[in-house]
């Protein structure tokens, strides 16, 4: 659906005040169940909004938001994301829209556990470093820019639940398919530099992160999420306190004005709307650090098998994975030399190889794989594929990391649906 600035504001109006939006499009609605006649201009606007003329517009009921609009809530500054949940908002990116080497902000997925703060102001925002430090610090974004080395890095961020939709028995939670992953360019300062300025005391084991979002229930005393990482990961020079995304202020849904970016680990470690980093003498036990949250069975489970929560372990580095961003499932490919391309990434490791199959895994062809532009950036790969003739094909991609681990054919099942790094498969027809 193509949208202009006017259709965008009308869409917003439909969400906030459907009656008023109706009046604008239809004039005064006289009958409670009928919209009446669309004004000429209204008809054109409505048609533009839903993407076509409306033969039965005269019987469109009043007060309803046309489902074409309701099903595609517009997120300001985002483009083409598929909304999985509305409140909290979770939206993923179709694989073919992740084709760029650096993910556009418009296409960076959104994973919210709570309700984001509104009107966050970069000029007055502060965050605190406290706990086991020599000198607790409260710093604004200008302080960060002035006092510390500012760096820009392309960093892969993936939700630990990416691929959850394919679990059987199913796992509850946002039903991510492939698109809860991105590699944007983040600008900020190294968390290590800020922690060193505060003076890390001996005995620090873990960080604890807090953000300004609120619990979906509205309860003021409950946090939506507060995670942390071992101090060594916090001190890694690639762990950033970011205030810019792709050279612009961070998108409000991606944590503006300040967030952590802790690449290679579950996205949940990268606290958005950051207000506090607290250094602790034990493994952090905040919301979504315990039980089965972002934790996986300490031993392999049969699908559906129960395991006591005490036998779960915290997810650390994310496993090797790849994504085919061209072609897209449903595309018609040419017999000769279609470029197949995508990205691959591997937590704390790098990707050594990506292999492709068009015969359901019987034979594999290596793709050309680029070096990462910097540590923790995903690696781009490509290959020319020739199909033997017309018909239905699946393209499978399988990455292998620097430790010799490859993506599996099938998921290692766990109750919360984490770490699904099974091979990405794309279906094309060749004419
Ligand atoms: N404050 C806060 N930080 C958060 C979250 C959240 O709900 N609140 N979600 C986390 C999760 S689970 C993920 S995967 C990443 C997603 O980052 P993104 O929404 O910018 O893509 O943010 C993390 N940081
Ligand atoms: Mo996540």
């Amino acid at each position: 659906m193509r949208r202009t600035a006017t259709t965008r504001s009308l869409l917003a109006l439909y969400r906030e005040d459907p009656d008023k939006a109706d009046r604008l499009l239809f004039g005064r609605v006289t009958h409670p169940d009928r919209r009446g006649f669309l004004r000429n201009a209204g008809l054109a606007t409505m048609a533009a909004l839903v993407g076509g003329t409306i033969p039965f517009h005269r019987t469109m009921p009043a007060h309803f938001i046309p489902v074409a609009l309701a099903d595609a809530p517009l997120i300001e500054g985002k483009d083409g994301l598929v909304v999985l949940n509305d409140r909290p908002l979770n939206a993923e990116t179709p694989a073919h829209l992740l084709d760029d080497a650096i993910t556009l902000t418009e296409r960076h997925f959104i994973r919210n556990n709570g309700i984001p703060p509104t009107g966050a102001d970069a000029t007055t925002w502060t965050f605190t470093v406290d706990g086991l430090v020599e000198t607790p610090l409260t710093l604004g974004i200008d302080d960060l820019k002035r006092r510390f080395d500012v760096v820009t890095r392309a960093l892969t961020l993936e939700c630990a639940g990416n691929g959850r939709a394919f679990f059987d028995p199913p796992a509850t939670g946002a039903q991510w398919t492939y698109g809860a992953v991105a590699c944007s360019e983040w600008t900020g300062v190294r968390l290590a530099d800020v922690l060193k300025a505060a003076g890390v005391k001996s005995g620090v084991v873990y960080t604890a992160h807090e953000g300004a979002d609120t619990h979906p229930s509205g309860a003021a005393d409950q946090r939506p999420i507060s995670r942390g990482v071992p101090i060594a990961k916090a001190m890694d020079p690639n762990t950033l306190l970011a205030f810019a995304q792709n050279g612009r202020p961070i998108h409000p849904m991606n944590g503006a004005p300040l967030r952590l970016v802790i690449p290679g680990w579950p996205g949940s470690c990268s606290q958005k709307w950051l207000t506090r980093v607290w250094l602790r003498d034990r493994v952090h036990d905040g919301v979504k650090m315990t039980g089965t949250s972002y934790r996986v069975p300490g031993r392999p489970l049969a699908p559906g098998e129960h395991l006591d929560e005490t036998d779960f372990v915290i997810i650390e580095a994310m496993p090797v994975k790849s994504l085919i961003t061209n072609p897209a499932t449903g595309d018609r490919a040419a017999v000769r030399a279609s470029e197949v391309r995508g990205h691959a990434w591997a937590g704390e490791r790098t990707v050594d190889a990506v292999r492709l199959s068009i015969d359901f895994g019987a034979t594999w062809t290596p793709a050309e794989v680029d070096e990462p532009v910097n540590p923790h950036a995903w690696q781009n790969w490509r290959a020319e594929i020739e199909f033997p003739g017309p018909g239905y094909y699946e393209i499978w991609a399988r990455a292998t990391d620097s430790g010799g681990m490859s993506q599996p054919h099938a998921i290692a099942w766990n109750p919360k649906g984490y770490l699904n790094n099974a091979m990405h498969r794309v279906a094309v027809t060749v004419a």
Side-chain angles (χ1 to χ4, degrees):
M1 202 185 301
R2 175 117 199 98
R3 294 203 182 100
T4 63
T6 39
T7 59
R8 181 166 299 177
S9 55
L10 198 55
L11 185 61
L13 189 60
Y14 255 110
R15 313 218 93 223
E16 282 153 27
D17 190 348
D19 286 343
K20 190 172 171 198
D22 264 1
R23 280 198 304 278
L24 277 171
L25 283 171
F26 292 87
R28 198 165 58 91
V29 176
T30 47
H31 190 280
D33 303 323
R34 291 274 310 276
R35 278 197 158 106
F37 294 101
L38 269 164
R39 290 168 163 168
N40 271 344
L43 186 57
T45 311
M46 179 66 95
L49 215 53
V50 300
T53 56
I54 310 163
F56 290 119
H57 67 90
R58 288 184 187 194
T59 51
M60 276 179 91
H63 306 300
F64 284 114
I65 299 176
V67 74
L69 310 187
D71 278 357
L74 183 85
I75 309 161
E76 207 60 53
K78 293 287 176 182
D79 180 31
L81 299 199
V82 175
V83 174
L84 304 178
N85 312 89
D86 228 339
R87 192 182 161 86
L89 178 64
N90 287 289
E92 70 172 338
T93 318
H96 69 278
L97 294 183
L98 288 170
D99 196 37
D100 303 274
I102 300 293
T103 308
L104 303 175
T105 301
E106 288 81 350
R107 299 196 175 152
H108 195 290
F109 73 101
I110 300 169
R111 198 291 182 249
N112 291 347
N113 291 269
I115 310 304
T118 50
D121 180 357
T123 58
T124 54
W125 192 268
T126 59
F127 89 105
T128 299
V129 181
D130 63 3
L132 282 179
V133 293
E134 304 293 343
T135 323
L137 300 174
T138 294
L139 300 165
I141 290 166
D142 280 339
D143 300 322
L144 292 177
K145 291 181 184 170
R146 208 169 334 107
R147 289 184 54 181
F148 305 99
D149 196 13
V150 172
V151 295
T152 297
R153 298 278 182 274
L155 299 171
T156 311
L157 195 67
E158 183 181 19
C159 180
N162 197 20
R164 176 181 289 139
F166 308 111
F167 277 70
D168 184 21
T172 54
Q175 295 298 300
W176 305 109
T177 64
Y178 300 103
V181 62
C183 183
S184 285
E185 236 172 34
W186 297 96
T187 299
V189 301
R190 296 179 193 93
L191 178 62
D193 292 348
V194 178
L195 297 182
K196 281 178 206 156
V200 179
K201 284 190 175 167
S202 66
V204 173
V205 171
Y206 231 82
T207 59
H209 313 148
E210 291 179 6
D213 46 342
T214 55
H215 197 270
S217 68
D221 58 343
Q222 282 182 60
R223 293 186 182 285
I225 188 168
S226 170
R227 294 184 34 86
V229 291
I231 186 67
K233 182 65 178 168
M235 298 302 279
D236 183 302
N238 301 297
T239 290
L240 299 189
L241 262 171
F243 43 73
Q245 178 180 17
N246 295 319
R248 315 247 319 134
I250 296 174
H251 186 280
M253 290 300 126
N254 297 125
L258 185 69
R259 74 171 301 170
L260 287 166
V261 182
I262 304 189
W265 283 41
S268 53
C269 300
S270 296
Q271 196 85 22
K272 303 192 281 188
W273 312 289
L274 186 73
T275 54
R276 183 184 184 203
V277 174
W278 167 36
L279 299 193
R280 303 195 62 183
D281 64 358
R282 65 198 66 186
V283 175
H284 183 44
D285 53 0
V287 177
K288 306 216 168 169
M289 281 300 298
T290 56
T292 56
S293 289
Y294 300 104
R295 300 191 344 140
V296 284
R299 63 168 177 82
L301 292 188
E305 187 185 343
H306 175 80
L307 183 72
D308 198 86
E309 277 180 20
T310 53
D311 294 323
F312 280 61
V313 294
I314 298 173
I315 301 168
E316 297 198 330
M318 295 289 287
V320 61
K321 197 164 173 179
S322 62
L323 194 63
I324 302 166
T325 59
N326 186 73
T329 284
D331 279 359
R332 284 174 195 285
V335 173
R336 199 154 273 281
S338 263
E339 185 171 80
V340 178
R341 56 177 186 266
H343 318 292
W345 59 96
E348 293 288 4
R349 297 174 177 170
T350 53
V351 173
D352 273 1
V354 174
R355 294 182 182 86
L356 302 174
S357 178
I358 57 167
D359 54 11
F360 305 101
T363 62
W364 295 87
T365 312
E368 176 194 19
V369 185
D370 295 342
E371 292 294 313
V373 291
N374 56 245
H376 295 288
W378 64 20
Q379 291 167 251
N380 307 309
W381 55 262
R382 67 203 65 76
E384 293 289 322
I385 291 283
E386 223 169 285
F387 297 98
Y392 170 91
Y393 295 89
E394 289 187 12
I395 305 169
W396 295 7
R398 187 178 206 199
T400 302
D401 73 19
S402 50
M405 291 294 281
S406 294
Q407 292 181 256
H409 284 262
I411 306 156
W413 188 88
N414 63 80
K416 281 283 174 80
Y418 296 127
L419 304 183
N420 181 2
N421 67 332
M423 289 179 279
H424 187 201
R425 298 149 62 198
V426 157
V428 294
T429 48
V430 172

